[in-house]
Amino acid sequence: MAQKQWADSVFNALTPEERLGQLFMVAAYSNKDQKHINEIKELVSNYHIGGLIFFQGGPYRQAKLNNEYQALAKVPLAVAMDAEWGIGMRLDSVYDFPKQMTLGAIQDKKWIYEMGKEVANQFHALNMHINFAPVVDVNVNPNNPVIGYRSFGEDKVEVALRGSAYMKGLQDHGIMANAKHFPGHGDTGVDSHYDLPVIKHSKSRMTETELYPFKELMRDSLMSVMVAHLQVPAFDSAKNTPTTLSKNVVTDLLKGELGFEGLAFTDAMNMQGVAKYYEPGEADVKALQAGNDIILFPLDVPKAMKQIEKALKKGTLTQEMLDERVLKVLKAKYWFGLNEYGPIETANLTKRINNDYAKYLNRILYQKAITVVDNTDLLIPTIQLEDTKFASLSLGGNDNQVFENMLSKYAKFDHLKIDSLNEASLEKAAQFDKVVISVHGITNSPRKQHGVKTEEVEWIKKLQQKTQVIVVVMGNAYSLKYFEGVKNIICTHEDNEITQEVTPQIIFGALKAEGRLPITAGKSFKAGMGIETLTTNRLSYGMPIEAGMSIDSLRKIDQIIEDAIKEKATPGAQFLVARKGKVIYQKNYGHQTYQEEKPITDQTIYDIASVTKVAATTQILMKLYDEKKVDINKPIGYYLEELRGTNKENLLLRDILTHQAGLKPYIPFWEKTVTKGELNTDYFNDAPGPNHNYRIQEKNLPVALADSVWKWTITSDLRSMPRGKKKYDYLYSDLGYEIIFHLIESIIEEPIETYLNKEFYQPLGMSRTMYLPSEKGYYSEVAPTEVDAYFRNTIVCGTVHDQNATLMGGVAGHAGLFSNANDLAILLQMNMQMGQYADKKYLNAWTIPIFTTPQSMENRRGLGWDKPITGTEDGPTSKYASASTFGHTGFTGASVWADPAEELVFVFLCNRTYPDSENFKLIEENVRTRIQDMVYQSILEP
């Protein structure tokens, strides 16, 4: 009743000429000059047009103009946009949602509804009211030059279901949906923007196929329809009569036979499908005579109004017909809320449009659309990493850096750069066990094979005969037609940062593929094809919202780290948080040094100092414990003959691991090798030889020096027993891990790094975790740890910072390991998953709790692993960390923690010791624990 009263009152306040203006919706741009703006203002002020359809521009500019135009309007303007994949289709600075054919691959329609809902939110932010979407044309013609990827697909039922979901998402949230292009533009070979397409199907075929989605949406509350510029002789045989101007189609079929009572819009009247055959004004009259309610994008409003007035005088149009439509428009404006119009609030406009939920939704939509169309060799997912040489190759020239970076998070990849596809490049690629080829440059146009190059496809086929190849088609599903004979294909439907980031996760089983082809492409790829792949418990990569965390809280961490860099607590840092098996925040800050020459990236490698104790030594010890090769309750002398008869013979392994065996915390053995600041020639020699395999300054370090360190460790004194005690108290010591290092070597009988790579790092995909990275060619990617002017007299970079570990050749039990945040997160996740990762068992489930649980009431430590002091701000972790938390810190600034209670992994790496290891600002300012606090608060305040 209120709607009718408002519409009637506005109608009665308008003159007949002003009422007529309500039937026009004019094109407006926010990227054009003042002349265009003045033209729109004149049409609003003098011709009382009813609405605007905005095209290209930007959010703030459009909001400003919208407010100006509305201020001039006697009746608030209905504002529309042709935003099939959201307002990013028209405006800069805004996320693009997937195209409709990408949505056609998604099986769970609730996500399409969610997209409609979020697009409605975008419209509300800009005070817009009508979205000319969804496209419900059934694209049965693969060569359709204008619909194609704008359609949900070739199956009328699936098109209708998805169209209905999108429509409801819009209309349930206050935005009018518009189904187009009536009576169906899906089987045309001509673009109606340039000419008038002719569809020669029978009426029964049109009714059965093309009209089906429109009828389904009409039954389901559709509020408006756009009538296309098509010639359909089955409905109207008059020559050059577009359906837009056909009474048979608009009045008799749409409003009569189908009973549609919503608003009928013309398609844009500037399109050549109508403008080529009719003059401005003439076409507008015919559109109203046909039964359309609103004329969209008229070429000349003043001329059209004059022609309409002439038609009224002639009686070919009646005032009653027009008044009825004006009232329909006014009632719609009431539904839009224009009875209580208010200007657009521009504060934080773009941020509100690009909100975190929109970003998350966009990611989910693309993820759920990605389609595995062939998996002949069962390469997807790829589970086993060890003993496999991986390579990637990009064809088509698009930027694929995101794709390569994500592949490298899962395995060691050689990212090939090939100038020409010939026999030489074929042999080069064939040297690898698995090659992932991403094909870019695929277009949405059927011309020129959608951009697919025949020579590239033939080269791929030859390579698949020589080695295992996964092919990622980064674009339109119709392009699959040109990949006949290619195996192991993933179709991403579109090529962007999201699809490049998600697809490697599907390849390695962190996410599953769920999409199905919405169309048929050639003989081999039929509509409905799609393999739902398996997932493993590998880490995936996503957003905080997916793990119940607040992005706003996490963003506060940026300021803490940036302030630390500004205060020169560290020149740079890596930071990573994972929760519930998903990395949800991973960022790099600053540079390798204060000279700011090399920025920190995901690939930067840090000396992780004492984190070596848990990332290397303890991992091996846990495995040996599993295999019953080590008993932690036995004295160390039981295993190491050289300790028998010494003061260390009866030290229990358990006590050594918990730092309460009485060992001194640290003995600077390196000082024995320096005389007055110069390296002692008794220990160092310039001459190369079989025993000289590690360089320090420009000297060679004999292997025998590691033996000297071991001898010095064996003969070192223990601490004095605390007065009145029969057992040593807790005091952190590196020496214990020098002892355990020798215990491990005596059992495994091979180099520790070889064992770690074989048993842990390679199968886990930890390709950037190693000892001695400088010897492996990683020097430029390693953040330096110190400018050493007292021992090595050089910049320490790529070799261990710890001086005693230096004497041991850079490989030790207490220090020497280098890694990055991603690799350490994988290792922590495996331990938190009770020794399981990517369907492989590394450790027995019962071993993890044994090693990560405190061993006494007086000592917070587990076996090797450090633990929090819960409920206080003392200790190495956040005060919010649960009692089940385990991890470790390192002298260089490293901090790694896993909290099983919250399914949380925390990794912070830096080189606070550069250039001076006496710089303790990072510790004094509690940077690491403050960051951890923010992580926990982001869970508490999702």
Side-chain angles (χ1 to χ4, degrees), residues 187 197-203 205-206 231-234:
D187 195 7
V198 179
I199 297 177
K200 297 181 179 179
H201 294 311
S202 66
K203 184 175 182 180
R205 153 61 198 263
M206 291 294 295
Q231 175 132 36
V232 187

Side-chain angles (χ1 to χ4, degrees), residues 321-619:
M321 291 164 55
L322 298 183
D323 288 350
E324 179 186 340
R325 293 172 203 177
V326 172
L327 280 167
K328 280 177 71 175
V329 171
L330 293 174
K331 287 178 180 177
K333 287 188 173 185
Y334 181 92
W335 188 85
F336 300 149
L338 288 173
N339 58 312
E340 297 177 347
Y341 167 76
I344 299 169
E345 174 56 58
T346 59
N348 299 315
L349 180 60
T350 303
K351 184 179 179 181
R352 284 187 281 121
I353 293 169
N354 292 333
N355 62 74
D356 293 319
Y357 180 74
K359 186 177 180 182
Y360 157 72
L361 175 62
N362 211 15
R363 185 182 188 85
I364 294 297
L365 290 166
Y366 280 115
Q367 175 187 323
K368 291 186 174 295
I370 291 173
T371 309
V372 174
V373 291
D374 185 273
N375 197 18
T376 299
D377 297 329
L378 302 178
L379 302 183
I380 310 162
T382 292
I383 305 299
Q384 183 175 323
L385 306 183
E386 60 266 43
D387 303 320
T388 304
K389 289 172 61 182
F390 290 94
S392 79
L393 174 63
S394 170
L395 300 177
N398 277 31
D399 181 10
N400 70 328
Q401 192 63 53
V402 173
F403 187 71
E404 289 183 355
N405 288 347
M406 185 56 72
L407 287 173
S408 293
K409 289 181 188 294
Y410 287 101
K412 181 174 173 24
F413 267 84
D414 282 35
H415 301 296
L416 304 178
K417 306 298 177 188
I418 291 177
D419 295 328
S420 59
L421 302 179
N422 51 30
E423 285 300 318
S425 62
L426 192 69
E427 291 306 316
K428 179 181 179 181
Q431 294 174 9
F432 294 89
D433 302 307
K434 286 185 181 174
V435 182
V436 178
I437 298 178
S438 57
V439 184
H440 305 266
I442 292 171
T443 70
N444 286 317
S445 170
R447 294 185 304 141
K448 297 183 179 180
Q449 300 189 163
H450 286 278
V452 178
K453 296 179 176 61
T454 301
E455 61 271 23
E456 292 181 349
V457 175
E458 292 305 313
W459 190 89
I460 291 170
K461 289 179 185 176
K462 290 179 183 176
L463 184 60
Q464 286 193 327
Q465 293 173 2
K466 294 175 176 288
T467 192
Q468 295 183 329
V469 180
I470 296 171
V471 179
V472 182
V473 177
M474 289 279 187
N476 193 298
Y478 278 121
S479 70
L480 291 171
K481 174 182 178 181
Y482 305 102
F483 288 86
E484 296 277 354
V486 174
K487 302 180 293 181
N488 314 312
I489 300 180
I490 300 173
C491 179
T492 67
H493 304 281
E494 298 183 45
D495 188 356
N496 54 45
E497 283 194 10
I498 297 174
T499 56
Q500 288 195 30
E501 191 174 289
V502 167
T503 305
Q505 299 184 58
I506 289 172
I507 290 172
F508 287 99
L511 298 173
K512 69 177 178 178
E514 301 177 60
R516 294 184 180 274
L517 289 181
I519 48 86
T520 295
K523 297 177 182 177
S524 299
F525 307 105
K526 304 296 184 184
M529 283 181 61
I531 301 165
E532 187 169 315
T533 57
L534 300 174
T535 58
T536 69
N537 55 3
R538 275 195 176 110
L539 280 173
S540 62
Y541 298 79
M543 296 179 62
I545 192 173
E546 297 177 73
M549 300 176 78
S550 165
I551 185 66
D552 291 330
S553 291
L554 290 170
R555 283 179 180 142
K556 295 174 184 176
I557 290 167
D558 296 349
Q559 193 61 55
I560 296 174
I561 299 176
E562 286 162 7
D563 286 347
I565 293 170
K566 185 178 178 181
E567 295 300 318
K568 296 199 171 180
T570 180
Q574 286 179 345
F575 172 61
L576 180 151
V577 175
R579 189 170 189 238
K580 298 182 183 294
K582 188 177 291 287
V583 176
I584 49 81
Y585 206 75
Q586 183 175 11
K587 295 192 73 172
N588 305 296
Y589 307 83
H591 296 76
Q592 289 188 15
T593 70
Y594 292 112
Q595 283 69 44
E596 300 187 353
E597 292 172 349
K598 295 178 182 177
I600 303 302
T601 70
D602 286 351
Q603 284 72 45
T604 303
I605 301 171
Y606 281 98
D607 181 333
I608 60 173
S610 284
V611 174
T612 303
K613 293 178 174 73
V614 293
T617 316
T618 301
Q619 294 298 312

Side-chain angles (χ1 to χ4, degrees), residues 521-769:
K523 297 177 182 177
S524 299
F525 307 105
K526 304 296 184 184
M529 283 181 61
I531 301 165
E532 187 169 315
T533 57
L534 300 174
T535 58
T536 69
N537 55 3
R538 275 195 176 110
L539 280 173
S540 62
Y541 298 79
M543 296 179 62
I545 192 173
E546 297 177 73
M549 300 176 78
S550 165
I551 185 66
D552 291 330
S553 291
L554 290 170
R555 283 179 180 142
K556 295 174 184 176
I557 290 167
D558 296 349
Q559 193 61 55
I560 296 174
I561 299 176
E562 286 162 7
D563 286 347
I565 293 170
K566 185 178 178 181
E567 295 300 318
K568 296 199 171 180
T570 180
Q574 286 179 345
F575 172 61
L576 180 151
V577 175
R579 189 170 189 238
K580 298 182 183 294
K582 188 177 291 287
V583 176
I584 49 81
Y585 206 75
Q586 183 175 11
K587 295 192 73 172
N588 305 296
Y589 307 83
H591 296 76
Q592 289 188 15
T593 70
Y594 292 112
Q595 283 69 44
E596 300 187 353
E597 292 172 349
K598 295 178 182 177
I600 303 302
T601 70
D602 286 351
Q603 284 72 45
T604 303
I605 301 171
Y606 281 98
D607 181 333
I608 60 173
S610 284
V611 174
T612 303
K613 293 178 174 73
V614 293
T617 316
T618 301
Q619 294 298 312
I620 300 176
L621 202 64
M622 291 163 80
K623 184 167 180 61
L624 297 178
Y625 176 86
D626 270 354
E627 296 167 349
K628 298 185 171 22
K629 294 177 180 177
V630 167
D631 183 342
I632 58 175
N633 294 308
K634 284 190 182 302
I636 191 68
Y638 177 84
Y639 295 101
L640 292 174
E641 184 177 350
E642 57 265 48
L643 294 182
R644 293 169 195 166
T646 73
N647 59 359
K648 298 174 183 63
E649 176 181 7
N650 294 315
L651 301 184
L652 294 181
L653 187 54
R654 179 188 295 276
D655 289 339
I656 294 173
L657 288 167
T658 55
H659 302 275
Q660 54 186 34
L663 295 165
K664 292 192 173 182
Y666 181 73
I667 302 175
F669 296 132
W670 65 274
E671 291 181 354
K672 295 176 181 282
T673 68
V674 179
T675 303
K676 296 182 180 180
E678 296 292 330
L679 297 181
N680 191 323
T681 55
D682 291 342
Y683 299 105
F684 301 100
N685 196 306
D686 286 322
N691 292 328
H692 297 175
N693 66 346
Y694 184 78
R695 294 187 67 77
I696 176 168
Q697 293 184 22
E698 293 304 314
K699 311 291 183 180
N700 286 295
L701 171 66
V703 173
L705 199 51
D707 292 341
S708 298
V709 173
W710 180 225
K711 179 182 176 182
W712 296 332
T713 301
I714 292 172
T715 59
S716 65
D717 293 330
L718 296 177
R719 292 191 286 128
S720 298
M721 182 70 71
R723 184 175 295 177
K725 299 285 186 179
K726 295 183 178 180
K727 187 174 178 62
Y728 283 104
D729 57 357
Y730 163 72
L731 185 63
Y732 183 82
S733 171
D734 279 348
L735 296 184
Y737 275 81
E738 293 179 33
I739 294 170
I740 291 171
F741 180 85
H742 284 271
L743 162 65
I744 289 171
E745 279 196 325
S746 71
I747 295 174
I748 64 175
E749 297 182 332
E750 62 179 314
I752 275 184
E753 188 173 21
T754 302
Y755 185 89
L756 284 165
N757 283 332
K758 178 180 64 179
E759 299 294 339
F760 292 99
Y761 300 159
Q762 286 183 7
L764 283 167
M766 295 171 62
S767 60
R768 304 187 81 76
T769 303

Side-chain angles (χ1 to χ4, degrees), residues 88-124:
M89 179 176 173
R90 301 297 179 188
L91 302 182
D92 58 31
S93 311
V94 179
Y95 298 136
D96 280 341
F97 284 113
K99 312 294 190 296
Q100 285 194 194
M101 190 157 285
T102 306
L103 300 178
I106 296 172
Q107 297 309 294
D108 189 345
K109 282 83 175 174
K110 78 176 182 185
W111 294 109
I112 301 171
Y113 177 92
E114 284 295 307
M115 176 177 148
K117 173 184 173 182
E118 196 54 39
V119 172
N121 290 337
Q122 294 182 334
F123 270 62
H124 285 302

